[in-house]
Amino acid sequence: MRLGVMALATDRTMPPAELAVAVEERGLRSLFLPEHTHIPASRQTPYPGGEPLKDEYYRFLDPLVALSMAAAVTERIELGTGVLLVNQHDPIALAKAIATLDHLSGGRFVLGAGFGWNEDEMSHHGVDPRRRRTVFREKMLAMIELWENELASFDGTHVSFSPSYQWPKPARRPHPPVLLGGGAGPVFFKHLAEYADGWLPIGGKGLKDDIAAMRDAAAEAGRDPAELSINLFGVFPDRGRLEHYRELGADRVALALPPAKRFTDVEGATADVILPILDEYAVLAEQLHD
């Protein structure tokens, strides 16, 4: 099991390049960043769980740009999104951006991708929230087609392009790991089994039964359940909980950093706050890394 971190990177937090160097220096394995392109002022879509939307959601850095900065100053850590809102991008342009980042980083990119919850936000991108999963599916399949094939084409309802060439190809073949973020359920696991390489849930409540359901869905789709990895992000460190995740077969765990909720005893997310927390995480990493 590989321990990394998930940071809510904004224009007010520790810069991602500096954070990435600190993560790598401490033997942690990954840095994951989230995405919101913008937050519509209408705020008609409630935050999952009904809590007020925190300030950092209005200020997220673009994760691919930020991870490119991180890639330039590191050599080993994986660079992931948790999660990238694929529906809010043109799939041809996004496929090229991801392939470029993976190529330049030496195959270190991990695509954590999700359908999205903010209906106001996705509507501004021309996506009908009622069709978010079908649009997402086509965009993902189209990007995989571009990554895997020298001459690629796609003919769908929401994405269509005639035979085309696109380079660079990702360094990690056939493409960077695709980890699908979202809550457990039959529809979700059907999508995961069709085109993803693993599951990326937030935290791990009820994980044992959900993993069994995911593996059943993979088997029904004709896939080897062992091919699908378990990856958790936004986790708050607890030795017993982490050991439980390892027993369940978790591959990656991205520990939360401020300003994530529950860090109520710290102010801000600058280096003087983050570095001591990374030191604590480094101790856990030494104890738990496989």
Side-chain angles (χ1 to χ4, degrees), residues 10-283:
T10 77
D11 56 335
R12 294 175 172 174
T13 62
M14 186 177 180
E18 295 177 21
L19 175 60
V21 169
V23 167
E24 186 163 275
E25 287 177 343
R26 286 159 176 77
L28 297 162
R29 303 290 185 84
S30 60
L31 171 61
F32 280 78
L33 302 181
E35 178 182 43
H36 279 284
T37 58
H38 67 302
I39 300 296
S42 56
R43 294 294 298 117
Q44 295 178 15
T45 308
Y47 180 71
E51 300 175 4
L53 194 65
K54 295 187 178 298
D55 179 68
E56 56 265 21
Y57 281 79
Y58 296 83
R59 313 188 72 98
F60 284 160
L61 302 179
D62 179 279
L64 297 182
V65 175
L67 291 172
S68 296
M69 299 287 289
V73 294
T74 57
E75 297 179 352
R76 299 181 303 279
I77 60 170
E78 288 189 314
L79 306 159
T81 52
V83 296
L84 190 75
L85 301 174
V86 170
N87 278 342
Q88 299 179 186
H89 296 268
D90 174 88
I92 299 173
L94 182 59
K96 190 176 188 73
I98 288 172
T100 300
L101 176 52
D102 195 63
H103 169 74
L104 294 176
S105 68
R108 292 189 284 139
F109 181 69
V110 178
L111 174 58
F115 303 123
W117 60 267
N118 192 323
E119 296 185 2
D120 315 50
E121 182 181 0
M122 69 183 73
S123 294
H124 283 193
H125 288 277
V127 176
D128 183 342
R130 296 169 298 177
R131 295 178 172 83
R132 72 185 78 175
R133 290 172 179 79
T134 56
V135 174
F136 180 96
R137 174 183 176 273
E138 286 196 9
K139 290 190 174 186
M140 280 304 317
L141 292 175
M143 291 197 299
I144 290 171
E145 176 76 11
L146 287 163
W147 292 330
E148 292 188 348
N149 298 298
E150 181 171 326
L151 186 63
S153 62
F154 195 85
D155 184 17
T157 302
H158 306 285
V159 181
S160 182
F161 53 88
S162 62
S164 304
Y165 300 100
Q166 187 186 82
W167 283 280
K169 298 301 182 187
R172 190 161 3 185
R173 303 301 290 160
H175 54 74
V178 175
L179 311 180
L180 192 59
V187 174
F188 176 81
F189 286 143
K190 182 178 179 180
H191 279 269
L192 193 153
E194 181 183 7
Y195 52 79
D197 303 297
W199 183 24
L200 186 66
I202 300 175
K205 187 176 181 180
L207 194 60
K208 184 175 181 179
D209 291 340
D210 292 338
I211 290 173
M214 180 195 73
R215 290 174 174 161
D216 288 343
E220 290 176 10
R223 291 189 66 178
D224 179 358
E227 293 178 352
L228 300 180
S229 64
I230 307 299
N231 314 267
L232 296 98
F233 78 119
V235 172
F236 286 86
D238 172 272
R239 176 67 185 268
R241 181 185 300 159
L242 293 173
E243 288 180 342
H244 175 62
Y245 294 158
R246 183 165 64 176
E247 291 171 1
L248 291 176
D251 295 272
R252 299 178 183 87
V253 174
L255 302 172
L257 289 173
K261 63 181 181 179
R262 288 179 57 183
F263 283 102
T264 56
D265 57 342
V266 299
E267 290 288 338
T270 52
D272 60 321
V273 172
I274 296 296
L275 293 179
I277 295 172
L278 291 180
D279 290 336
E280 295 176 8
Y281 290 176
V283 174

